[in-house]
Amino acid sequence: MGIAVRQPAPRNASIRTAPIRTSAGLVEAGLAEASALPVLEQVAASFAVSVTDQMAGLIDPTDPNDPVARQFIPAGEELRTTPGELADPIGDGPHSPVKGIVHRYRDRVLLKAVNVCPVYCRFCFRREMVGPGSETLDGAELDAGLAYIAEHEEVWEVILTGGDPLILSPRRLAEIVTRLDAIPHIGIVRFHTRVPVVDPDRVTPELVAALKGKRIASWLMLHANHWRELNDTARSAIARLVDAGIPLLSQTVLLKGVNDDAETLTRTFRALVQARVKPHYLHQGDLAKGTSHFRTTIQRGRALMRELRGDVSGLCQPTYVLDIPGGHGKVPLTADYLAPDGEGGWTVTDPRGGRHAYSEE
């Protein structure tokens, strides 16, 4: 698109650069104005800040609307809370029978082994639960979580989330996967992560090997919101996972000012597919506190999905979903293409609005 951005310099993966974790650090790095420091510090007092050098290197500091900066650099709008916003917008709490476990759907559970991330997204639905100093499961708590999973034979899939599970060491990840592998009724372990995009040097051969069990299948759900995140370094990290036989899906959040136009979504989903990642979910923004400036309307999201449906490869089509507040689960928000015609048949609407009679006889 002709946007000049600073590319992260080639690095030795054994020499890691610490993320920027303070408002003053953002100013020092040229990612925020010094005049904004008092407001940034107010935001940081409530919601954690962390920007990896990978993401910092993709930001154009001369662009006030930079889509990468908007995701990770705190802003004064976060201090504004609307009446419908919630501390736990998708209702993890009521479905947490054991610390670190969320059992919302019958055949799968979340296992939140860690509550820290390499970066903190400004729109995160768990933004009040994650960050430096947040609790990580200790040995006894992990044992209790795994015991719950073992006792519930209806559970077929375990989703490691948090926080970002790939921030754990390969040794710790391998231990968790091995213990899940030993539970006969578990068929899949899924990892929800930003790491291959925001901190790709973590995706070492040792980490990749740690994700794979002997019996259960390992899947990875990558969170990416903009095609700019998928640069050469990120694609190389993704390739290390795919080449090892780990299938990758993606989830994207529909964000005002970041990706809420058909061109950006198209470029993002095409970039993911080219990297061998199948777009799976496009999330309507959750009602997390201080995130109203990111949320589009559902009407807007449905219109964008209709635009994509007409002219973009089916491989690039995620399901547009809403996670219903209160812990009631996800539902698709896709447009209704089918309606009864009143005579025993159907009227089908094509992606461009044309209506067509259809009979099943």
Side-chain angles (χ1 to χ4, degrees):
M1 297 288 288
I3 299 174
V5 296
R6 296 178 292 125
Q7 293 294 325
R11 295 162 292 169
N12 183 329
S14 65
I15 304 174
R16 302 189 55 77
T17 302
I20 302 169
R21 297 189 184 277
T22 65
S23 301
L26 295 173
V27 172
E28 183 179 349
L31 299 175
E33 297 291 336
S35 60
L37 188 57
V39 171
L40 297 183
E41 289 182 338
Q42 286 186 62
V43 175
S46 297
F47 307 117
V49 174
S50 182
V51 183
T52 58
D53 59 334
Q54 171 77 1
M55 290 297 96
L58 295 180
I59 292 171
D60 177 2
T62 68
D63 180 3
N65 299 311
D66 184 271
V68 179
R70 187 164 169 81
Q71 295 182 64
F72 302 112
I73 306 301
E77 292 103 320
E78 297 176 55
L79 299 173
R80 183 178 68 248
T81 300
T82 61
E85 292 179 340
L86 304 166
D88 181 14
I90 68 168
D92 279 352
H95 297 276
S96 186
V98 176
K99 185 175 180 179
I101 295 288
V102 178
H103 195 174
R104 183 180 292 110
Y105 303 102
R106 184 178 186 277
D107 76 338
R108 55 205 182 275
V109 299
L110 304 183
L111 174 57
K112 299 191 289 185
V114 61
N115 283 325
V116 294
C117 302
V119 296
Y120 293 106
C121 303
R122 309 320 306 166
F123 50 86
C124 178
F125 65 91
R126 292 195 178 112
R127 64 200 320 244
E128 296 195 83
M129 308 171 195
V130 298
S134 297
E135 295 181 350
T136 296
L137 297 186
D138 62 26
E141 291 162 345
L142 179 61
D143 289 346
L146 292 170
Y148 177 90
I149 294 168
E151 291 164 3
H152 288 261
E153 296 187 0
E154 74 275 18
V155 176
W156 172 75
E157 179 179 17
V158 176
I159 301 167
L160 263 72
T161 183
D164 194 315
L166 266 61
I167 207 169
L168 293 169
S169 70
R171 179 194 61 79
R172 189 81 185 279
L173 283 166
E175 175 195 350
I176 294 170
V177 171
T178 298
R179 294 178 70 178
L180 290 172
D181 201 65
I183 300 174
H185 55 86
I186 300 302
I188 286 180
V189 57
R190 190 201 317 175
F191 303 89
H192 282 198
T193 183
R194 271 283 220 173
V195 161
V197 165
V198 303
D199 198 5
D201 285 346
R202 284 187 180 272
V203 186
T204 61
E206 293 76 18
L207 183 137
V208 174
L211 302 181
K212 301 183 68 174
K214 293 182 178 179
R215 179 187 60 82
I216 56 176
S218 297
W219 287 65
L220 190 145
M221 180 79 79
L222 176 69
H223 180 170
N225 297 319
H226 195 279
W227 56 267
R228 287 243 308 270
E229 298 171 48
L230 297 158
N231 68 353
D232 290 345
T233 312
R235 288 196 299 270
S236 293
I238 291 167
R240 291 193 287 275
L241 293 157
V242 178
D243 290 345
I246 299 175
L248 265 69
L249 304 171
S250 72
Q251 55 183 355
T252 295
V253 182
L254 183 60
L255 299 168
K256 187 183 295 183
V258 174
N259 59 15
D260 60 330
D261 63 273
E263 180 183 358
T264 300
L265 289 176
T266 298
R267 291 194 70 171
T268 300
F269 297 145
R270 284 176 174 171
L272 285 162
V273 169
Q274 283 186 283
R276 295 178 289 171
V277 181
K278 174 66 180 78
H280 184 60
Y281 283 141
L282 175 65
H283 289 271
Q284 173 66 13
D286 293 306
L287 296 174
K289 288 185 177 181
T291 63
S292 62
H293 55 294
F294 281 113
R295 287 194 298 275
T296 68
T297 64
I298 289 175
Q299 182 180 7
R300 175 63 177 157
R302 287 172 60 127
L304 287 168
M305 289 303 298
R306 185 175 288 279
E307 285 189 67
L308 298 184
R309 177 62 62 184
D311 295 308
V312 181
S313 167
L315 291 173
C316 300
Q317 303 287 337
T319 300
Y320 178 39
V321 295
L322 170 69
D323 221 324
I324 304 171
H328 302 289
K330 297 183 186 70
V331 291
L333 297 174
T334 48
D336 187 356
Y337 293 98
L338 190 68
D341 65 2
E343 299 179 1
W346 301 95
T347 298
V348 183
T349 302
D350 68 33
R352 291 170 180 79
R355 295 164 65 85
H356 310 274
Y358 177 80
S359 174
E360 295 179 280
E361 297 181 354

